[in-house]
Amino acid sequence: MEDYERELYGVEDDFDSQFAAELEVLAELEGTAALSPSRSPRPAPTVGRPRLTFEEAIAGGDAATDCSPGGPPGSGSGGARKRQLTADIQADTFLPPTPRIKRSKLDAARRLNFRPDEMEELLPPDSPTRGITPPPSPEVPAELCDNGSLDTGADVGLTGASPAARNPVLRRPPVLEDYINVTSTGGDRAFLVLRDEPVGTAVQGSFLDMRRRGRGQLDLLGVSFASLKEEVDSERRRQLLEEAQQLSDTLCSLRAEEEEEEAQPTGAPEEEPAPHQDASQHCLWVDEFAPRRYTELLSDDFTNRCLLKWLKLWDPVVFGRERPARKPRPSVELAPSGKEATASGKWKSHEQVLEEMLEAELDPSGRPRQKVALLCGPPGLGKTTLAHVIARHAGYCVVEMNASDDRSPEAFRTHIEAATQMESVLGTSGRPNCLVIDEIDGAPTAAINVLLSVLDRRGPQEAESGAPAMPAGGGRRRRAEGGPLMRPVICICNDQFAPSLRQLKPQALLLQFPPTLPSRLTQRLQEICLRQGVQAGPGALAALCEKTDNDIRACINALQFLHGRGRRTLSVQAVQTTRVGLKDQRKGLFSVWQEVFQLPRAQRRHMGQDLTLPTPTLLLGDGHTGLGSLATASQQFYHILHAAASTGEHEKVVQGLFDNFLRLRLRDSSLGTVCEALDWLAFDDLLGRAAHHGQNFQLLRYPPFLPPAFHLLFATSHVPRIAYPSSQQEAQSRRSRTQNLIETLVSGITPAARSRAAPQALVLDTLCLLLDILAPKLRPVSTQLYSAREKQQLASLVGTMLAYSLTYRQARTPDGQYVYRLEPNVEEVCRFPELPARKPLTYQAKQLLAREIELEKMRRAEAAARAGHSPQVDKGPPGGTGEKGVQPPAPCSHKQRLECVLKSTALEEQPERDFFGRVVIRRAAAVSSANTAPEPDSAERRMGTAVGRSDVWFRFKEGVSNAVRRSVYVRDLL
Amino acid sequence: MVQIVVSSAGAGGLAEWVLMELQGEIEARYSTGLAGNLLGDLHYTTEGIPVLIVGHHILYGKIIHLEKPFAVLVKHTPGEQDCDELGGESGTRYLVTALIKNKILFKTRPKPIITNVPKKV
């Protein structure tokens, strides 16, 4: 109730100021001056109140009866009417007739306040307060129907003071106007007609909002106004702080002296918490605690320094500063991280290479050799932050573009050119741009090519158009010879092996981010916890780091999440049990296999105490192991389970395990673990088959436990050498090849042999021995010199090979030699690769065999042909002679008939073509032909009749001709 | 138990017949029946494809080697006078007169022989 009151007071203030004039009028009219309109009716005694409504009802009644909306409410007739009406409806009419004016005033006041929520005001009060009440139904219409008259009454007193009052309230939805409906708590519904009133609605709207919120906490704004205000204030403060920060940064960079801990940086963090406490729900801690200065960076010092050095190499071109002498350089560069540098001592070779690269001379145009720096590393290491901080530190204005958003080459080009060749005029105090391209591995190759072409541009022809204006005067001369790209470009990627980056990498300064040191991360997390009031032990924070793989962003987000959930203390247990901070990132297959086969380092530390623990017994479940080790084991179990499930490719994982587990160093000499593992694999296969054959997918919940089982069986501290599984694919392709081979073989076998050689029997029983049969000893001499037995042997060999449709075919080996190969090559099917090869036939023998087989084939084909055509061949001559000789008396066949016809026509024609061939005879012939008109085609006619006049016809029947089936009884045969 | 005696007349002297299979019917032009009428001409092309001309139809067929050869049996029922000679056997004998190892199958639709083609349509 307190805040409600306060709320109201706040409202009143506003209201008072806005409606000062009206309130004044009200105060004059009414005795109760300056009473807040919202409160005045509320605490008013119920007696006055119902009377009021009652009067309204009465007024409604008379308005309804006399139907004169324009009539002044003060008229006597109205009063008289009203009195009658009230007498009709109710017993007590104790109202004095005089307070007419006052009623109207009260009315006005009432309307002013309660118009918006009048159902609440109107309906409930009269039912409970008065024993005798007009039923709510007449009451409301009374209010509703006569609103016009009431309004006029109100208007007498105060014109326009209550604009809302003009809204008629209707019982039924109005037909023509817009309306809103209002339902009272009692369930009655009324309809408010909407009218636009430019002054009134706004005021009333805000008023309404305030009122509503005050009563029912209906936050229409979403956030309370007060908090909004605070937010704006804090925003303003933060902006100021940031400007101060930038100013200090520029100052620092301009001075080019290293800023160690000074007054402002300590001041800034101290100030910041205050606004951030309020804004903490709006701002991610990651942004809030992002490092703003070089010294706050968490990432690897060497990387930071390299990038900074590289950026400084641009100084001569960009700022026109001469390269500082070698002497002050180390002090400048190494000062911020001096203690780390001394601590780490000497650098590795890779780092030395990098150093040399950075120490190298600039190219002729005064730019560093590498025009681009490529930062790569897994997410959450602070690459983007590093780029921003360092660029700002070196005095650049950071222009960031996200390559995975602007993917098209055009957008890429415009962005790059805008960033590298222009300079923002406003706000950045003339700093040169530094382009930061984030997530460049998401860009397509075309876009990268655009970037490359920009990098490669050089030469004077480009220089006039492309070179940016240099801030320093010294740059003008250099511009003529320099290339157009005069601004540093920093690219950031997660995967440096993305194919699109292949072109870019040789031209870029490749900086790989090592994982953040857990100690530094823990320290930073501790600071954050301190500032945010989270109690967290270093153990818990270390656990969090470990869980997130030292991902800074994930750590801080997890912290904020836990904080936001109301946990103020953080324990190791909580970190390990919550699912917060787990990356949704898929793990690669290799990392999963590695995890399965290798004990994690942390666990190795734990296992130091209980190295005696035999993991197989743990798996079997009868091991008496310490509680601690059991806990770690189960934790490990779940870890592996999760990791294996996260790949989403169970089959591949299992195949990899299967292919690799025998290559590991086995601790168990009795191969018990191997048997166990094989059992698991068989079980997995069974489950998979049952699940997929029978659509029994509930079984699929069991296979994921195979990797943990393998882990428990085989995990060692050695680094396993893992090969990508290929055995499955090899086996499958080989199987299909063999199957094809056997199919071709079987299809070629002669039917007699095939009837006894089903494919399986062929593979299992026949082929292996057949190969032995096919390799007899043949003397390497000409077949002419073979003995009869040898000849028979050869013949049988050829017969066998033909029966299985095997032959030798010449082929050329890759090294240019010719060999004869068995075809189809059955040897592949039935010979185990590791077994010693059978002694093969010599090349000559194979050649001989091949030739013999060909010959035999030809011989057989010829024999078959002869057998098939023998009737024709044999009958040909005798049939022909027989027909000609014997048949003439018999009814002549077509041929003979046709021959006769032809002969006769020939005979007929022959006389015409006499030896002399004279015209006379031809004329005679012509005459004769003219005489006998149908004659000329007599030959054809006769041929036609000869063909068509046969006594036998053939009628073709379509379809399948099944053999005629007749039942024959044995008694008929006897 | 029924015994049917099948015997061949002379060793090696069996004639080889050819079975001809037609898909369709052979009809006589007149109602006198088929008996005694010439069926048509059987020729072989140079490729060995049999060609049969029946009426104004020409049929192309092929020679098929029968995997199970047929034997043509002629039934000899012994008369009363023979019965004595054979010595009381029931006596129905079958004599193999020919073997059929190949058949000529005409199963494609016959083509008509057209003699009078109008020169101008």
Side-chain angles (χ1 to χ4, degrees):
Chain A
M1 208 54 200
E2 304 302 308
D3 54 347
Y4 160 67
E5 290 284 338
R6 220 184 312 129
E7 202 63 43
L8 274 187
Y9 277 127
V11 168
E12 283 160 18
D13 291 340
D14 251 358
F15 183 78
D16 282 345
S17 60
Q18 282 188 353
F19 288 93
E22 284 87 343
L23 283 173
E24 219 171 29
V25 175
L26 259 181
E28 278 179 17
L29 289 173
E30 211 172 348
T32 63
L35 241 184
S36 87
S38 57
R39 276 199 298 174
S40 59
R42 182 157 279 245
T46 47
V47 189
R49 196 53 169 328
R51 196 193 324 162
L52 197 76
T53 58
F54 184 49
E55 295 237 345
E56 273 180 47
I58 290 161
D62 67 24
T65 42
D66 64 12
C67 288
S68 61
S75 67
S77 67
R81 282 273 175 88
K82 164 206 76 188
R83 204 164 287 169
Q84 288 164 7
L85 262 174
T86 50
D88 288 345
I89 299 168
Q90 294 175 336
D92 56 342
T93 56
F94 54 87
L95 275 179
T98 39
R100 194 93 190 113
I101 302 168
K102 193 186 179 191
R103 174 164 53 97
S104 71
K105 275 182 286 173
L106 264 177
D107 242 357
R110 209 186 73 44
R111 298 207 141 261
L112 186 65
N113 304 325
F114 293 102
R115 192 67 197 162
D117 31 32
E118 93 197 289
M119 293 317 284
E120 284 168 325
E121 298 285 304
L122 289 180
L123 296 181
D126 40 28
S127 38
T129 46
R130 300 284 290 199
I132 337 130
T133 49
S137 44
E139 200 268 344
V140 175
E143 240 271 41
L144 307 183
C145 304
D146 63 350
N147 244 330
S149 67
L150 263 181
D151 279 345
T152 50
D155 284 345
V156 173
L158 46 149
T159 51
S162 59
R166 235 176 272 152
N167 273 358
V169 183
L170 300 176
R171 198 66 187 149
R172 291 188 193 79
V175 184
L176 294 175
E177 296 107 323
D178 288 339
Y179 64 92
I180 39 175
N181 46 10
V182 181
T183 311
S184 75
T185 48
D188 299 285
R189 172 166 288 199
F191 300 90
L192 303 175
V193 175
L194 288 178
R195 281 183 199 157
D196 44 353
E197 280 169 305
V199 189
T201 40
V203 174
Q204 186 201 0
S206 66
F207 184 45
L208 175 69
D209 277 350
M210 296 301 190
R211 293 271 314 171
R212 276 250 183 96
R213 193 153 39 78
R215 193 172 300 168
Q217 287 301 344
L218 279 172
D219 286 330
L220 292 186
L221 272 181
V223 190
S224 65
F225 179 73
S227 60
L228 276 179
K229 207 169 160 187
E230 275 174 87
E231 212 173 313
V232 171
D233 282 347
S234 68
E235 183 75 23
R236 214 174 283 158
R237 234 178 300 170
R238 201 180 323 144
Q239 267 182 353
L240 280 173
L241 278 174
E242 270 175 23
E243 278 170 20
Q245 188 75 33
Q246 280 183 355
L247 202 64
S248 73
D249 279 352
T250 44
L251 282 174
C252 294
S253 67
L254 282 176
R255 270 183 225 148
E257 67 181 14
E258 194 39 62
E259 59 278 283
E260 278 298 333
E261 291 306 310
E262 278 183 64
Q264 327 101 308
T266 50
E270 277 169 9
E271 268 182 22
E272 274 177 21
H276 283 323
Q277 289 293 355
D278 296 334
S280 60
Q281 64 259 38
H282 309 295
C283 170
L284 283 178
W285 288 4
V286 176
D287 302 332
E288 193 180 331
F289 294 105
R292 299 209 160 46
R293 292 152 33 75
Y294 184 84
T295 44
E296 290 174 13
L297 284 172
L298 268 186
S299 44
D300 181 56
D301 284 320
F302 176 73
T303 317
N304 302 351
R305 209 161 43 240
C306 281
L307 187 64
L308 186 59
K309 268 188 187 174
W310 176 80
L311 213 54
K312 286 284 182 194
L313 288 183
W314 284 88
D315 275 1
V317 182
V318 179
F319 295 104
R321 257 179 250 146
E322 277 313 310
R323 208 175 170 202
R326 191 58 48 91
K327 195 98 182 258
R329 207 165 174 52
S331 69
V332 168
E333 300 299 334
L334 298 181
S337 51
K339 56 179 190 293
E340 268 86 359
T342 50
S344 59
K346 29 192 170 307
W347 291 317
K348 290 168 212 147
S349 61
H350 168 68
E351 295 175 350
Q352 277 169 351
V353 166
L354 265 179
E355 286 287 316
E356 282 164 14
M357 216 184 274
L358 290 174
E359 295 295 331
E361 277 302 308
L362 304 179
D363 70 351
S365 57
R367 300 177 295 170
R369 300 233 171 242
Q370 289 93 11
K371 313 286 185 294
V372 174
L374 185 63
L375 307 181
C376 46
L381 289 188
K383 296 182 295 296
T384 314
T385 313
L386 173 71
H388 279 251
V389 167
I390 285 194
R392 236 181 290 134
H393 177 79
Y396 289 93
C397 167
V398 181
V399 177
E400 181 173 350
M401 67 181 279
N402 198 320
S404 40
D405 292 345
D406 310 310
R407 291 172 60 88
S408 75
E410 280 314 303
F412 218 75
R413 180 187 296 276
T414 48
H415 270 272
I416 288 176
E417 291 188 345
T420 55
Q421 299 179 3
M422 301 177 192
E423 201 161 298
S424 68
V425 183
L426 296 173
T428 53
S429 66
R431 292 187 190 190
N433 287 333
C434 170
L435 181 62
V436 174
I437 306 179
D438 210 347
E439 297 181 36
I440 198 170
D441 46 352
T445 316
I448 303 285
N449 286 340
V450 168
L451 177 62
L452 281 175
S453 70
V454 170
L455 296 188
D456 286 342
R457 255 190 263 155
R458 60 182 64 189
Q461 74 277 6
E462 296 269 353
E464 305 99 29
S465 63
M470 304 252 179
R476 186 144 307 182
R477 190 171 44 81
R478 223 170 278 133
R479 182 171 63 171
E481 61 196 280
L485 183 77
M486 287 306 199
R487 295 289 178 263
V489 177
I490 301 176
C491 301
I492 298 171
C493 68
N494 285 339
D495 176 19
Q496 60 160 318
F497 300 108
S500 56
L501 297 184
R502 232 171 259 157
Q503 300 284 325
L504 183 65
K505 269 165 73 180
Q507 300 207 28
L509 175 79
L510 198 66
L511 285 175
Q512 201 155 9
F513 265 64
T516 318
L517 289 179
S519 56
R520 299 180 78 171
L521 181 54
T522 318
Q523 195 184 348
R524 175 60 56 90
L525 289 180
Q526 240 164 351
E527 281 174 27
I528 293 174
C529 288
L530 252 179
R531 261 197 239 168
Q532 292 292 344
V534 179
Q535 294 178 358
L541 293 178
L544 185 63
C545 295
E546 190 185 348
K547 192 169 183 180
T548 54
D549 291 336
N550 296 329
D551 180 341
I552 303 171
R553 185 176 353 181
C555 278
I556 299 179
N557 280 342
L559 265 187
Q560 185 178 11
F561 181 71
L562 290 174
H563 177 76
R565 294 272 296 270
R567 295 205 195 167
R568 301 291 157 173
T569 57
L570 196 65
S571 64
V572 182
Q573 203 68 27
V575 169
Q576 275 167 353
T577 50
T578 44
R579 298 220 150 248
V580 176
L582 282 184
K583 268 187 265 185
D584 198 21
Q585 174 186 344
R586 280 188 163 195
K587 287 197 171 167
L589 283 170
F590 272 99
S591 64
V592 168
W593 292 326
Q594 185 113 8
E595 274 183 28
V596 169
F597 285 132
Q598 192 180 10
L599 291 172
R601 205 170 293 147
Q603 201 193 349
R604 244 178 283 152
R605 218 184 301 136
H606 290 306
M607 295 292 271
Q609 298 103 31
D610 42 32
L611 246 178
T612 53
L613 166 75
T615 36
T617 59
L618 183 86
L619 181 72
L620 296 175
D622 56 351
H624 297 286
T625 52
L627 266 180
S629 69
L630 198 65
T632 53
S634 74
Q635 188 190 334
Q636 200 54 32
F637 181 89
Y638 283 115
H639 175 68
I640 296 289
L641 192 62
H642 179 77
S646 69
T647 58
E649 296 175 275
H650 178 71
E651 306 251 315
K652 270 271 180 243
V653 171
V654 172
Q655 279 171 26
L657 296 180
F658 170 69
D659 265 23
N660 288 305
F661 83 97
L662 284 182
R663 292 183 202 151
L664 298 174
R665 209 173 295 173
L666 298 175
R667 284 166 296 172
D668 191 3
S669 60
S670 65
L671 293 183
T673 53
V674 175
C675 290
E676 194 87 24
L678 289 174
D679 278 349
W680 264 101
L681 287 169
F683 176 60
D684 185 66
D685 275 353
L686 278 179
L687 280 178
R689 184 143 40 123
H692 290 111
H693 278 217
Q695 266 77 45
N696 212 345
F697 293 117
Q698 58 188 1
L699 290 178
L700 284 184
R701 75 174 80 146
Y702 299 110
F705 290 98
L706 187 137
F710 265 67
H711 179 73
L712 293 180
L713 285 173
F714 293 110
T716 55
S717 48
H718 301 290
V719 178
R721 259 178 302 164
I722 289 174
Y724 195 78
S726 55
S727 64
Q728 155 107 3
Q729 205 179 0
E730 274 172 20
Q732 210 148 26
S733 70
R734 193 161 169 180
R735 185 176 156 200
S736 73
R737 200 162 9 116
T738 309
Q739 263 173 347
N740 286 339
L741 206 71
I742 289 176
E743 250 169 54
T744 53
L745 180 69
V746 166
S747 68
I749 293 178
T750 54
R754 201 194 301 181
S755 63
R756 285 175 196 81
Q760 196 170 7
L762 196 69
V763 173
L764 294 181
D765 299 335
T766 318
L767 284 182
C768 205
L769 302 174
L770 187 68
L771 285 181
D772 281 332
I773 294 173
L774 291 185
K777 278 181 186 163
L778 291 176
R779 270 199 297 155
V781 290
S782 161
T783 47
Q784 313 291 335
L785 303 175
Y786 276 4
S787 67
R789 200 168 147 271
E790 277 173 334
K791 272 183 186 164
Q792 197 207 339
Q793 197 186 10
L794 180 64
S796 75
L797 177 59
V798 168
T800 313
M801 288 190 70
L802 273 180
Y804 286 94
S805 80
L806 294 170
T807 182
Y808 284 106
R809 186 129 314 163
Q810 198 179 31
R812 204 185 134 108
T813 55
D815 45 333
Q817 285 184 328
Y818 285 95
V819 288
Y820 272 95
R821 284 220 187 93
L822 200 61
E823 183 177 300
N825 199 351
V826 189
E827 219 160 330
E828 273 183 17
V829 177
C830 56
R831 211 172 58 78
F832 287 98
E834 272 78 22
L835 289 184
R838 209 171 268 106
K839 192 185 160 212
L841 287 176
T842 57
Y843 180 82
Q844 284 80 11
K846 284 180 178 175
Q847 195 173 19
L848 171 74
L849 275 176
R851 190 169 149 272
E852 284 297 318
I853 288 167
E854 283 303 305
L855 281 179
E856 181 63 25
K857 259 191 204 165
M858 280 162 65
R859 254 177 243 141
R860 288 191 185 186
E862 201 173 318
R866 196 178 298 142
H869 300 323
S870 56
Q872 183 213 356
V873 175
D874 293 342
K875 260 186 199 168
T881 53
E883 268 181 26
K884 271 170 192 164
V886 182
Q887 293 263 334
C892 49
S893 68
H894 282 302
K895 192 178 173 187
Q896 287 139 14
R897 264 184 280 154
L898 293 178
E899 272 171 2
C900 286
V901 169
L902 283 178
K903 217 178 280 173
S904 63
T905 54
L907 281 174
E908 270 178 26
E909 265 182 72
Q910 254 174 357
E912 288 178 11
R913 283 193 203 168
D914 214 350
F915 173 70
F916 301 100
R918 299 202 176 151
V919 189
V920 186
I921 298 168
R922 280 184 77 187
R923 201 185 294 154
V927 169
S928 69
S929 67
N931 287 341
T932 58
E935 273 305 299
D937 53 352
S938 61
E940 287 175 19
R941 168 85 51 91
R942 261 179 287 169
M943 274 172 75
T945 48
V947 169
R949 210 198 298 131
S950 66
D951 292 338
V952 179
W953 294 83
F954 178 66
R955 181 188 291 164
F956 182 72
K957 289 203 166 170
E958 204 153 5
V960 184
S961 80
N962 279 329
V964 180
R965 200 171 276 235
R966 278 179 70 188
S967 43
V968 175
Y969 300 101
V970 173
R971 69 163 180 270
D972 296 332
L973 295 175
L974 284 177
Chain B
M1 195 66 185
V2 178
Q3 267 194 337
I4 296 174
V5 181
V6 177
S7 59
S8 64
L14 281 176
E16 190 174 322
W17 291 9
V18 173
L19 191 69
M20 195 152 74
E21 192 177 321
L22 295 169
Q23 183 166 354
E25 285 176 1
I26 294 169
E27 293 176 347
R29 175 184 287 256
Y30 309 107
S31 57
T32 53
L34 287 170
N37 281 331
L38 180 85
L39 172 67
D41 291 16
L42 178 65
H43 304 284
Y44 288 94
T45 63
T46 49
E47 288 87 26
I49 297 170
V51 178
L52 181 68
I53 301 171
V54 182
H56 64 279
H57 282 134
I58 183 163
L59 288 86
Y60 293 91
K62 60 181 172 185
I63 295 169
I64 291 175
H65 179 75
L66 293 171
E67 288 198 24
K68 290 178 181 175
F70 290 113
V72 182
L73 303 183
V74 176
K75 186 178 180 183
H76 285 275
T77 44
E80 283 74 20
Q81 67 278 17
D82 298 354
C83 210
D84 313 322
E85 297 169 5
L86 289 170
E89 285 184 6
S90 66
T92 310
R93 289 194 307 129
Y94 285 88
L95 203 63
V96 179
T97 54
L99 290 177
I100 302 175
K101 290 182 179 169
N102 293 307
K103 74 170 177 183
I104 307 174
L105 175 63
F106 298 96
K107 65 175 183 182
T108 52
R109 176 177 289 279
K111 291 177 177 152
I113 303 170
I114 300 171
T115 54
N116 188 11
V117 183
K119 292 274 170 23
K120 286 177 183 174
V121 182

